Amino acid sequence: MTTTITLWGVGTARCLRPIWVAEELGLQYDLRPIGPRTGETQTPEFKALNRKQKIPLLVDGDFRLSESVAICRYLIDTYPNDSIYRPASPQERAREDEWCCHVYGEIDETSLYIMRRHGDLGHIYGSSPEVVKASKEYAELHLHAVDDLLDGRSSVLEGGFGLADVVLQSCLDWAVAYGIGLAPRLEAYRQGLAGRDAYQRAVKVNSGERRHE
Ligand SMILES: N[C@@H](CCC(=O)N[C@@H](CS)C(=O)NCC(=O)O)C(=O)O
């Protein structure tokens, strides 16, 4: 089947998000499985598509979009189906934004990615065990807040599985991979989402294990 959608990028928590959403929505998409730190984001072809030289990137016809959360929202709004909750009112949309901004801002960008920059990528950004340790503690602080706010629910918002869950789950997996222990209720939430077929397909596509068709 022909598709207008191309997703660029695999191999990271950020790349998993749009792949997972595309799988949930049952979309046909071409995948360009370029990886981080491979030089593939620095080619003239990719730079012409994304001046930021970052993955993930979406191309849909003549529309191009970077930023994992923005790409997910675009897909959910453009190709809606019942498998992903869509906020219906300004308040519901604001609540979803509140969760996405908190998890992305405090846990992804301010904690886990800082751990990556000054840990695994220390040869590029400067190695700092002290910064890694402080960032890990900061991640734990906000994961405790998330656990309290989630209060044992199986989806972030009452309306059901949605964008905020995609952002949160990708960060929980990332946190676990970095040796951060999750509170029992948060781990149960993570395991619940891990049972979704689309999530399992996406994880395999993102890891390069499953050939994307
Ligand atoms: N805020 C961006 C972050 C994107 C980002 O930093 N991507 C990294 C990989 S996770 C990247 O492309 N780095 C450049 C490279 O690895 O060549 C998003 O959420 O999409």
Side-chain angles (χ1 to χ4, degrees):
M1 194 187 284
T2 55
T3 176
T4 56
I5 302 170
T6 302
L7 291 176
W8 289 76
V10 293
T12 74
R14 278 85 174 261
C15 294
L16 174 72
R17 293 170 190 149
I19 294 171
W20 184 6
V21 167
E23 292 288 340
E24 289 282 353
L25 296 171
L27 300 177
Q28 299 288 323
Y29 59 97
D30 289 328
L31 183 73
R32 297 295 196 95
I34 64 171
R37 305 290 151 204
T38 56
E40 293 166 309
T41 55
Q42 272 128 42
T43 63
E45 181 194 10
F46 190 72
K47 190 175 173 186
L49 286 174
N50 185 5
R51 179 65 187 82
K52 298 176 196 167
Q53 297 182 274
K54 292 266 187 179
I55 48 175
L57 178 79
L58 165 121
V59 181
D60 188 6
D62 57 10
F63 182 65
R64 263 186 275 143
L65 192 65
S66 62
E67 295 299 328
S68 56
V69 181
I71 295 170
C72 292
R73 176 164 278 170
Y74 168 80
L75 291 174
I76 293 166
D77 284 347
T78 311
Y79 306 101
N81 80 10
D82 289 344
S83 67
I84 304 191
Y85 160 76
R86 277 203 313 148
S89 68
Q91 282 91 349
E92 288 179 24
R93 172 60 58 115
R95 188 65 70 207
E96 183 172 81
D97 283 347
E98 181 187 46
W99 272 90
C100 291
C101 290
H102 176 229
V103 174
Y104 191 89
E106 304 296 348
I107 298 174
D108 175 315
E109 205 119 74
T110 309
S111 309
L112 299 171
Y113 194 55
I114 298 296
M115 288 173 72
R116 177 161 160 74
R117 282 172 79 93
H118 299 289
D120 293 348
L121 301 180
H123 56 289
I124 301 168
Y125 297 110
S127 211
S128 175
E130 202 179 353
V131 167
V132 170
K133 182 172 174 287
S135 302
K136 188 174 179 190
E137 287 164 7
Y138 194 71
E140 285 164 346
L141 184 79
H142 282 280
L143 287 166
H144 282 308
V146 163
D147 181 42
D148 286 345
L149 291 165
L150 199 55
D151 200 22
R153 288 192 302 278
S154 58
S155 62
V156 166
L157 299 174
E158 304 283 356
F161 172 80
L163 175 60
D165 296 294
V166 171
V167 178
L168 178 56
Q169 177 82 346
S170 58
C171 287
L172 296 183
D173 288 346
W174 192 356
V176 168
Y178 275 8
I180 297 174
L182 300 180
R185 290 188 309 178
L186 208 47
E187 179 57 22
Y189 164 90
R190 188 173 84 96
Q191 293 302 332
L193 290 189
R196 296 180 74 88
D197 291 344
Y199 168 83
Q200 290 171 9
R201 288 196 301 275
V203 167
K204 286 184 180 163
V205 170
N206 191 48
S207 70
E209 189 187 316
R210 178 177 183 268
R211 217 183 121 70
H212 169 70
E213 284 130 23

